[in-house]
Amino acid sequence: MAEVFHLNTPLLESINMSKRVGTTVYLKMENTQPSGSFKIRGIGHLCQQLARHSKGVICSSGGNAGMAAAYAAQKMGVPATIIVPSSTPPLVVQRLQDQGATVKIVGKVWDDANTEALKLAETEGLTYVPPFDHPLLWKGHASMIAEVTASLGPSVKPGAVVVSVGGGGLLCGVIQGLKDVGWTDVPIVAMETVGADCFNAAVKAGKLVTLDDITSEAKCLGAKTACKQVFDYSQSSELTIISELVTDQQALHAIQTFLDEERVLVEMACGAALAAVYSGVIVRLQNEGRLPALLGPLVVIVCGGSTINMEQLTYLKHKLQS
């Protein structure tokens, strides 16, 4: 039996958020994972399957995927190389090094770092760990929905699940999880920030779109193209996926409010999902008839984040509120 690297995370009821939307809000606290985010589920599973006898793993990541790959590699006793773009905060580089990983800074955005990671995987014979686009990742991420069902009990079904979208790995995992437990009729509210909105752009265009650049401060949502699987899901008549955008200011407001009310600091990428509640997106969707007026419990995936501390929060406040 392979060792499991992720924790069964708490599902907490939020009184404050429940008041805002008029239905019970449950928070799936993926920020409590040992690597700081949900990524350890999928990346841990993928590393178990593919990297057991590897001479090393290589991952391209602005933060959370790299942290998860470094953590899994350290647990397995395998070397890890993490390629990060120059937009990565120094604290993330430090945390990766503390986890025992070799860190290389390449290019301006994740896509540049990924090109380098793929090249090194080829030339140095390393196991490539994709941050979001792989069925083994989605299978690993799906475990969080199995935990939600166990926590809620057999008689309670969510009214909707709220999730942040970067490249689409988490969303694919959530959909896989909903399929596994027979909840494909539960709507998913897929949140992105303006400027890191490759999924929303694809939904609007009816085909995959590559953004020119990532201009949002939610750098961990910063894939220029969503994965094909997540786009295919968005076109499926069996699923209800509602793609919504918030501004960086709304995501920042969400993480500050969350810190005040729930005493937990998460990064901007996670703030996109929280903003669905704090910026009134859920209530608006109910008013528009896109979500039921009488909504069952709302499950918000608090995906976490390694790219935030008080210094970074202060920087974001100065940059976005000036």
Side-chain angles (χ1 to χ4, degrees):
M1 175 78 185
E3 183 191 357
V4 173
F5 300 137
H6 67 265
L7 303 177
N8 183 331
T9 54
L11 187 72
L12 304 180
E13 186 179 333
S14 167
I15 304 298
N16 286 307
M17 291 176 102
S18 300
K19 253 182 1 197
R20 280 184 163 87
V21 288
T23 187
T24 311
V25 174
Y26 290 106
L27 304 169
K28 185 62 172 154
M29 301 297 281
E30 288 298 296
N31 59 299
T32 61
Q33 291 291 2
S35 70
S37 83
F38 75 94
K39 292 271 189 187
I40 190 61
R41 291 179 184 273
I43 285 177
H45 181 65
L46 180 132
C47 287
Q48 295 282 15
Q49 302 293 316
L50 303 182
R52 272 265 158 245
H53 308 291
S54 167
K55 59 191 248 196
V57 301
I58 188 158
C59 180
S60 53
S61 163
N64 297 311
M67 286 298 294
Y71 179 82
Q74 191 181 45
K75 286 279 180 231
M76 290 166 62
V78 170
T81 304
I82 314 298
I83 313 287
V84 301
S86 59
S87 58
T88 307
L91 91 121
V92 176
V93 174
Q94 185 60 53
R95 282 179 183 171
L96 287 166
Q97 289 167 337
D98 291 345
Q99 201 72 262
T102 301
V103 182
K104 293 183 177 169
I105 299 171
V106 176
K108 183 168 164 263
V109 294
W110 171 77
D111 303 72
D112 306 332
N114 193 47
T115 304
E116 177 71 7
L118 287 166
K119 195 175 83 186
L120 286 174
E122 192 72 23
T123 56
E124 298 186 19
L126 301 172
T127 302
Y128 172 69
V129 178
F132 56 84
D133 194 0
H134 198 287
L136 287 172
L137 296 179
W138 311 329
K139 188 174 184 333
H141 297 332
S143 60
M144 78 179 70
I145 299 297
E147 289 171 20
V148 169
T149 51
S151 299
L152 289 177
S155 58
V156 181
K157 188 180 195 175
V161 177
V162 181
V163 60
S164 294
V165 182
L170 175 56
L171 180 51
C172 285
V174 166
I175 292 167
Q176 172 89 53
L178 292 173
K179 286 184 165 187
D180 291 347
V181 300
W183 280 355
T184 47
D185 56 337
V186 173
I188 302 167
V189 182
M191 300 296 298
E192 291 169 287
T193 50
V194 175
D197 48 358
C198 62
F199 178 63
N200 184 267
V203 170
K204 283 181 179 152
K207 61 178 200 286
L208 281 174
V209 170
T210 299
L211 304 176
D212 293 334
D213 195 9
I214 302 299
T215 54
S216 167
E217 288 299 320
K219 299 297 179 203
C220 290
L221 297 182
K224 291 204 277 191
T225 319
C227 65
K228 181 179 181 301
Q229 179 64 68
V230 84
F231 173 72
D232 291 347
Y233 279 145
S234 76
Q235 304 298 296
S236 159
S237 56
E238 292 162 45
L239 301 162
T240 303
I241 303 172
I242 303 169
S243 171
E244 289 287 329
L245 299 180
V246 287
T247 62
D248 274 1
Q249 284 78 7
Q250 287 171 313
L252 175 63
H253 170 255
I255 64 176
Q256 289 180 269
T257 311
F258 196 67
L259 179 58
D260 280 345
E261 293 186 352
E262 310 294 337
R263 303 167 307 285
V264 174
L265 179 60
V266 293
E267 69 187 21
M268 288 280 283
C270 186
L274 301 174
V277 171
Y278 292 131
S279 292
V281 174
I282 300 296
V283 173
R284 173 171 58 74
L285 290 171
Q286 288 177 282
N287 293 339
E288 290 171 356
R290 294 167 71 196
L291 284 176
L294 284 169
L295 191 62
L298 196 64
V299 173
V300 180
I301 309 291
V302 182
C303 48
S306 325
T307 67
I308 192 83
N309 60 9
M310 288 311 289
E311 189 185 345
Q312 185 68 12
L313 182 59
T314 306
Y315 161 79
L316 288 166
K317 286 203 292 209
H318 284 308
K319 181 157 185 185
L320 295 174
Q321 292 174 340
S322 53

